[in-house]
Amino acid sequence: MKKLKAELVAVGTEILLGQIDNSHARYLSTDLAAIGVPVYFHSSVGDNLDRVVATIALAMSRSDIVIVTGGLGPTGDDLTRDAVAKALGLPLTYDEEAFTTFVKPYFDRIGRVAKPIQQSQARRVGTATFLPNLRGTAPGQYLVHQEKHIFLLPGPPLEMRPMYLEQVRPVLMALLGETMITSRVLRFFGIGEADAEHQLADLLRDQTNPTIAPLAGEGEILFRITAKAKDEDSANALIDPVSREILSRIGQFFYGYEQDSIASVALNTLVKAGKTVSFAESCTGGLATSMLVDFPGASRTLKGSVVAYADEVKAAMIDVSEDELAQYGAVSEQVAKSMAIGTRARFGTDYAVSITGIAGPDGGTEQKPVGLVYFAIADATDCHVFYRLFAGDRAQIRLRSAKVALHALFQRVNENRG
Amino acid sequence: MKKLKAELVAVGTEILLGQIDNSHARYLSTDLAAIGVPVYFHSSVGDNLDRVVATIALAMSRSDIVIVTGGLGPTGDDLTRDAVAKALGLPLTYDEEAFTTFVKPYFDRIGRVAKPIQQSQARRVGTATFLPNLRGTAPGQYLVHQEKHIFLLPGPPLEMRPMYLEQVRPVLMALLGETMITSRVLRFFGIGEADAEHQLADLLRDQTNPTIAPLAGEGEILFRITAKAKDEDSANALIDPVSREILSRIGQFFYGYEQDSIASVALNTLVKAGKTVSFAESCTGGLATSMLVDFPGASRTLKGSVVAYADEVKAAMIDVSEDELAQYGAVSEQVAKSMAIGTRARFGTDYAVSITGIAGPDGGTEQKPVGLVYFAIADATDCHVFYRLFAGDRAQIRLRSAKVALHALFQRVNENRG
């Protein structure tokens, strides 16, 4: 397998002014790392011909693959084609056929007439191949020059990403001598990032095909397994044993694949089980319910919720006794339990989930510090109560609490299904 | 005023692998643009000595100010000090006093003992000045070399940002011949980005001190006015007339300053008025309530909410009549009104807000398309009902709906206060 060094160049004054992020750098780097192309440099440069020329020339002098994003629009500020031609000493030629094939059809589709200025988008750098753009007016270009490969891609992410995936990555795979790349994402909750990476340290270090990349955020961790092979079956045959090995080590924290979220797996499990749910939320203030409602199928299982922020609401709306509130306090095992049982009865659902805690920054005591949150899950036979003590600020405590509640619900419904 | 060209260099293989964003580029560029320092290049480079040396040498050859972030840790991967010394042909010398002054105190504060490896963080590039770091172990360094200015800052944003604001920006301001920079942010809701920028086009184009920078996101738009002057009063004297001019043109959409959000101004207005509130949410599923609970003072005004997702919940928990639901449907002016009035009665609050709509992707009809959302705000004397038709996907429709509800509440409470 050949070793090809890549470099990314983003063109656009709005990046240099801080008006937008150069989000392409991370997107492309992640994928290039997954397919085994090391990236050595990222650069961003404004819409200035001399500076873009210098940046392209430097990139082509030191890297095998240069991916340039942005600056392919039709206006005078869009300098990428001119700069690449100048940097490589190549002509830039208007190509009527390219205009008809790659620029005009987009205008036909949206029912407009291409303006003369749009012809600049059909100017070809040397003998470059045009890359069709179904989502915008700027076709990309791909050129091999002195055994270096340069790709010019449009700046808008919704145009750049599919063009990269559909038209650039296959070329890179062919250069690498591979034909197929397949990824699988495994998602975990309830295990720390450091702990997970420690338990998988040898795999993370030694695996080259497939590669394993960890990504962590807000209490969750995911591992992306990426294989290169001649076809999808062969790629999956490489991924399967690695996936099994990871699950054999930290499988008790596994909850889903790919785009799953804790809310979506909780929702799907409830729908599959044909069960309904309601919530009583205090410190989370409706966040757990809202995370479930993010998904279109929510109406098939969610009846509703009470945000019982004030104690009087806990009493009036979901039948928590005032004695219990006075004796144990709103943040207690007893009140969490009564909230879940009262809510289940009021809403007439199969399950009810309660969350009551201290999100801070005020309201903590020595016995009940900020971050202490009680949870209860009531079903037809039982009411399971537990607590967590979270670190972090108010927003983190609330988000983690909502996730823990939904995850516990997911597990409980699964257990009941056997 | 001198014109100084700046360039940003980020060091760290994790950026090149796509594991993290180079978020410093945008943060620093935004602020440098605001104080009038043009940024011509961003580069990211991995933890490889030769490549970092080449990148630093190039940056110092073409820019007046070079800000390098990352690579100041104590390990062998932390190459920035070595690379800068090598690129500039300067010695790198361990400084015992710097260790005692800038590295050791951090360990004292967190009750640990600095390891020998930490001494590498007290190695000085040439005659650089150390920049104290109260939030981590890596002090920064600042060096003037052949009339160029180079700053070495730590990679973690929570260390880099305050070091930049407190120790780098004042130096840059002095170089520019200014002593003070002041910003004011004005926030607007209910006006489109294009419309707002059109109404302020001449100001956005012509203003140089203060500058006006627009930022838009999810239905909101803000303008940051930034002035340079010899002191804060003089800066405010520059900002005041521009702020007044902006408000004279689009003031009816203004809702707050700086870190305000629609939820925080709604909350503060309720607290100031000494009024309580409750919500009945359908398609938003608790999101509006949750946005209010994000702020610590929520318990002073919010009693609670009902997420009335199923129709039977609208009837049982907040007294919407089943006839009304059958006759007009859940997404209707009549039901929105009954939800608000029923919720206000049940919770015994001064205000109640209802939201009922079709968030999609399914459930729309010709008469009631996806994106149609009814709102009602009930108070002691009246119940105000209105609707919006939103574009966007389910998540956007829900978020916009929650913001519109909180904004309408904010306006209603303000009107009632006179």
Side-chain angles (χ1 to χ4, degrees):
Chain A
M1 194 174 97
K2 275 170 63 177
K3 194 80 177 175
L4 296 164
K5 292 179 295 187
E7 166 155 9
L8 309 178
V9 177
V11 180
T13 296
E14 64 278 25
I15 298 169
L16 278 295
L17 287 171
Q19 291 172 351
I20 60 169
D21 267 318
N22 173 18
S23 61
H24 298 331
R26 184 172 182 185
Y27 177 84
L28 293 172
S29 293
T30 304
D31 195 73
L32 290 165
I35 67 172
V37 175
V39 177
Y40 282 175
F41 298 95
H42 296 168
S43 308
S44 300
V45 57
D47 303 319
N48 171 285
L49 187 63
D50 290 342
R51 289 196 285 276
V52 181
V53 168
T55 303
I56 302 275
L58 176 65
M60 288 293 276
S61 74
R62 65 188 177 184
S63 299
D64 305 304
I65 295 165
V66 176
I67 302 178
V68 187
T69 49
L72 295 187
T75 75
D77 281 347
D78 292 293
L79 300 165
T80 297
R81 286 173 295 260
D82 301 78
V84 173
K86 194 169 173 190
L88 305 182
L90 294 172
L92 187 65
T93 331
Y94 173 64
D95 183 330
E96 179 71 34
E97 195 187 323
F99 179 77
T100 310
T101 313
F102 299 110
V103 180
K104 196 173 166 293
Y106 180 81
F107 287 90
D108 294 343
R109 271 200 306 283
I110 62 172
R112 294 201 192 170
V113 176
K115 293 180 190 144
I117 195 179
Q118 239 82 31
Q119 294 187 346
S120 69
Q121 298 185 305
R123 289 179 305 144
R124 182 197 302 270
V125 179
T127 59
T129 305
F130 280 96
L131 307 174
N133 181 354
L134 297 178
R135 300 163 188 85
T137 68
Q141 299 196 31
Y142 166 43
L143 178 70
V144 184
H145 181 76
Q146 296 174 351
E147 298 184 46
K148 305 292 181 91
H149 301 264
I150 182 165
F151 297 89
L152 316 188
L153 306 182
L158 293 179
E159 301 175 33
M160 194 287 289
R161 294 181 180 195
M163 191 181 285
Y164 168 77
L165 290 176
E166 293 159 16
Q167 301 184 68
V168 179
R169 195 160 80 167
V171 173
L172 301 179
M173 295 296 290
L175 292 174
L176 292 165
E178 312 281 357
T179 56
M180 187 73 207
I181 182 147
T182 301
S183 281
R184 185 181 305 165
V185 173
L186 307 180
R187 294 179 166 273
F188 300 86
F189 184 72
I191 183 171
E193 181 181 1
D195 187 7
E197 292 188 16
H198 177 72
Q199 293 201 44
L200 305 178
D202 55 323
L203 298 175
L204 291 169
R205 192 178 55 239
D206 301 335
Q207 285 288 339
T208 53
N209 189 22
T211 56
I212 308 175
L215 276 171
E218 285 309 331
E220 298 180 54
I221 182 161
L222 62 85
F223 291 94
R224 179 188 301 272
I225 312 169
T226 305
K228 290 169 292 183
K230 65 179 200 309
D231 55 38
E232 192 160 348
D233 285 349
S234 311
N236 279 323
L238 291 167
I239 291 174
D240 287 339
V242 173
S243 174
R244 275 195 300 271
E245 181 61 30
I246 293 175
L247 291 174
S248 77
R249 298 188 192 185
I250 56 172
Q252 74 263 43
F253 304 102
F254 172 75
Y255 76 82
Y257 294 99
E258 310 305 331
Q259 300 302 315
D260 287 343
S261 69
I262 292 165
S264 74
V265 297
L267 179 61
N268 290 338
T269 306
L270 282 161
V271 170
K272 270 188 216 149
K275 301 294 184 187
T276 55
V277 70
S278 55
F279 291 80
E281 302 193 43
S282 182
C283 62
T284 43
L287 185 59
T289 309
S290 181
M291 284 166 68
L292 212 59
V293 175
D294 268 341
F295 298 93
S299 58
R300 294 165 65 188
T301 179
L302 175 70
K303 285 208 182 175
S305 297
V306 168
V307 178
Y309 211 62
D311 279 357
E312 65 205 73
V313 173
K314 293 181 181 78
M317 300 290 286
I318 50 176
D319 311 312
V320 178
S321 82
E322 285 172 15
D323 287 353
E324 221 168 41
L325 282 164
Q327 192 177 347
Y328 302 107
V331 179
S332 63
E333 193 178 313
Q334 293 80 0
V335 168
K337 192 170 178 174
S338 296
M339 284 170 70
I341 291 170
T343 300
R344 186 171 175 276
R346 280 289 189 115
F347 284 86
T349 49
D350 299 306
Y351 291 88
V353 179
S354 72
I355 308 165
T356 176
I358 302 159
D362 304 320
T365 64
E366 201 161 321
Q367 279 74 39
K368 296 185 179 179
V370 168
L372 177 68
V373 182
Y374 283 90
F375 302 86
I377 299 183
D379 60 25
T381 57
D382 201 4
C383 184
H384 174 58
V385 192
F386 62 100
Y387 74 90
R388 292 276 186 281
L389 185 56
F390 299 100
D393 64 16
R394 182 177 177 91
Q396 287 172 315
I397 291 167
R398 295 181 60 236
L399 180 58
R400 295 282 170 93
S401 297
K403 286 186 178 185
V404 164
L406 291 169
H407 190 252
L409 171 65
F410 162 66
Q411 291 188 312
R412 189 80 188 132
V413 179
N414 266 334
E415 281 163 21
N416 283 345
R417 295 175 74 197
Chain B
M1 192 174 99
K2 273 170 64 177
K3 193 81 177 175
L4 295 165
K5 291 179 294 186
E7 166 156 8
L8 309 178
V9 177
V11 180
T13 297
E14 65 279 24
I15 297 168
L16 279 294
L17 286 171
Q19 291 172 352
I20 60 170
D21 266 318
N22 172 20
S23 61
H24 297 332
R26 184 172 182 184
Y27 177 84
L28 293 171
S29 292
T30 304
D31 195 72
L32 290 165
I35 67 173
V37 175
V39 177
Y40 281 176
F41 299 96
H42 295 168
S43 309
S44 300
V45 58
D47 303 320
N48 170 285
L49 187 62
D50 290 342
R51 289 196 285 274
V52 181
V53 168
T55 303
I56 302 275
L58 176 64
M60 288 293 276
S61 75
R62 64 187 178 185
S63 299
D64 305 304
I65 296 165
V66 176
I67 302 179
V68 187
T69 49
L72 295 186
T75 76
D77 281 347
D78 293 294
L79 299 164
T80 298
R81 286 174 294 262
D82 301 78
V84 173
K86 195 169 172 191
L88 305 182
L90 295 172
L92 187 65
T93 331
Y94 174 64
D95 183 328
E96 179 71 32
E97 196 186 322
F99 180 77
T100 311
T101 312
F102 299 111
V103 180
K104 194 171 168 293
Y106 181 80
F107 288 90
D108 295 343
R109 269 201 306 282
I110 62 172
R112 296 199 188 168
V113 176
K115 294 181 188 143
I117 194 179
Q118 240 82 31
Q119 294 187 347
S120 69
Q121 298 185 304
R123 289 180 304 145
R124 181 198 303 268
V125 179
T127 59
T129 305
F130 281 97
L131 307 174
N133 180 353
L134 298 177
R135 300 162 188 86
T137 68
Q141 299 196 30
Y142 166 43
L143 179 68
V144 184
H145 181 76
Q146 295 174 350
E147 298 184 46
K148 305 292 181 93
H149 301 264
I150 182 165
F151 298 88
L152 316 188
L153 305 183
L158 293 178
E159 301 175 32
M160 193 289 288
R161 294 180 180 196
M163 192 181 285
Y164 167 78
L165 289 176
E166 292 159 16
Q167 301 182 68
V168 179
R169 196 160 78 168
V171 174
L172 300 180
M173 295 296 291
L175 292 175
L176 292 166
E178 313 282 355
T179 55
M180 188 73 207
I181 183 148
T182 301
S183 281
R184 185 181 306 166
V185 173
L186 307 181
R187 295 179 167 271
F188 300 86
F189 184 72
I191 183 171
E193 182 182 2
D195 187 7
E197 292 188 16
H198 177 72
Q199 294 201 42
L200 305 178
D202 55 321
L203 298 175
L204 292 169
R205 192 178 54 237
D206 300 336
Q207 285 287 341
T208 54
N209 189 22
T211 57
I212 308 174
L215 275 171
E218 285 309 332
E220 297 181 55
I221 183 161
L222 62 84
F223 291 93
R224 179 187 302 272
I225 312 169
T226 304
K228 291 168 290 183
K230 65 179 201 308
D231 56 37
E232 192 160 347
D233 286 348
S234 311
N236 280 322
L238 291 167
I239 291 173
D240 287 339
V242 174
S243 174
R244 274 196 301 270
E245 181 62 29
I246 293 175
L247 291 174
S248 78
R249 298 189 192 183
I250 56 172
Q252 75 263 42
F253 304 102
F254 172 76
Y255 76 81
Y257 294 98
E258 310 306 330
Q259 299 303 314
D260 287 343
S261 69
I262 292 165
S264 75
V265 297
L267 179 61
N268 290 338
T269 306
L270 282 161
V271 170
K272 270 188 217 149
K275 301 295 183 186
T276 56
V277 70
S278 55
F279 291 80
E281 302 194 41
S282 182
C283 62
T284 44
L287 185 60
T289 309
S290 180
M291 284 166 67
L292 212 60
V293 175
D294 268 342
F295 298 92
S299 58
R300 294 167 66 190
T301 180
L302 175 70
K303 286 207 180 176
S305 297
V306 167
V307 178
Y309 211 62
D311 279 358
E312 64 206 72
V313 172
K314 294 182 181 77
M317 300 291 285
I318 49 176
D319 310 313
V320 178
S321 83
E322 285 172 17
D323 287 353
E324 219 167 42
L325 283 163
Q327 190 178 345
Y328 303 108
V331 179
S332 63
E333 192 178 314
Q334 291 81 358
V335 168
K337 191 169 179 176
S338 295
M339 284 170 69
I341 292 169
T343 300
R344 186 171 176 274
R346 281 287 190 117
F347 284 85
T349 50
D350 299 305
Y351 291 89
V353 180
S354 73
I355 308 165
T356 178
I358 302 160
D362 305 319
T365 64
E366 200 163 322
Q367 279 75 38
K368 296 184 179 180
V370 169
L372 177 68
V373 183
Y374 282 90
F375 303 86
I377 300 182
D379 60 25
T381 57
D382 202 2
C383 183
H384 174 58
V385 193
F386 62 99
Y387 73 90
R388 292 276 186 281
L389 184 57
F390 299 101
D393 63 17
R394 182 176 176 91
Q396 287 172 315
I397 291 167
R398 295 180 60 236
L399 180 57
R400 296 280 171 94
S401 296
K403 286 186 177 183
V404 164
L406 291 169
H407 189 253
L409 172 65
F410 162 67
Q411 290 188 312
R412 189 82 186 128
V413 178
N414 266 336
E415 281 163 23
N416 283 345
R417 295 176 74 199

